[in-house]
Amino acid sequence: MNEVKFNIRLYFTGGMKRLTDRIDSTDQLTPQRYVLNAMTELFDSLTDEDLKLIRLRYVEDLTLDEVASRCLLHEHTIRNHTNPTVKQVKEIIKQGNELLVKQKSP
């Protein structure tokens, strides 16, 4: 499972929040808290339909063809609705990793 899929699945199953709360019980911005907050903001900004497509694709692990069949949409339409979100998740993870590196630097 790739890092993006893992983080999306972890977010939607509630695991990300539980792990973040366990790692950091302060209000300090840790890399984990940054990723959780940024993903919450991102997913809160999506339409219900886009959230449904993301969940089917990344949480239920359906192929594009399976999502298209279930939602009666073309695969191209699904890509158009999910790819921008996936790119944003990649960027969020990258920024979280950069924050981690900065915090570990002396």
Side-chain angles (χ1 to χ4, degrees), residues 26-71:
T26 69
D27 289 333
Q28 184 181 20
L29 185 64
T30 62
Q32 297 83 3
R33 180 81 50 205
Y34 171 82
V35 170
L36 175 64
N37 292 346
M39 287 181 70
T40 298
E41 187 175 318
L42 171 62
F43 291 128
D44 284 351
S45 74
L46 298 179
T47 65
D48 289 344
E49 186 63 28
D50 286 348
L51 284 171
K52 176 183 175 183
L53 296 175
I54 293 289
R55 281 189 169 117
L56 289 172
R57 183 81 174 103
Y58 293 95
V59 179
E60 293 188 30
D61 204 23
L62 299 180
T63 65
L64 280 172
D65 184 51
E66 291 169 330
V67 175
S69 193
R70 186 177 286 188
C71 296

Side-chain angles (χ1 to χ4, degrees), residues 5-43:
K5 182 184 277 189
F6 175 76
N7 277 278
I8 291 172
R9 186 175 288 176
L10 194 62
Y11 178 84
F12 279 111
T13 60
M16 184 177 284
K17 177 154 180 25
R18 287 190 303 274
L19 288 172
T20 300
D21 289 346
R22 202 174 301 158
I23 290 169
D24 173 34
S25 60
T26 69
D27 289 333
Q28 184 181 20
L29 185 64
T30 62
Q32 297 83 3
R33 180 81 50 205
Y34 171 82
V35 170
L36 175 64
N37 292 346
M39 287 181 70
T40 298
E41 187 175 318
L42 171 62
F43 291 128

Side-chain angles (χ1 to χ4, degrees), residues 30-35 38 89-103:
T30 62
Q32 297 83 3
R33 180 81 50 205
Y34 171 82
V35 170
V89 169
K90 285 179 185 178
E91 184 61 28
I92 289 167
I93 293 167
K94 179 182 170 195
Q95 291 171 355
N97 287 335
E98 289 170 359
L99 182 60
L100 180 63
V101 168
K102 283 181 185 177
Q103 287 181 350

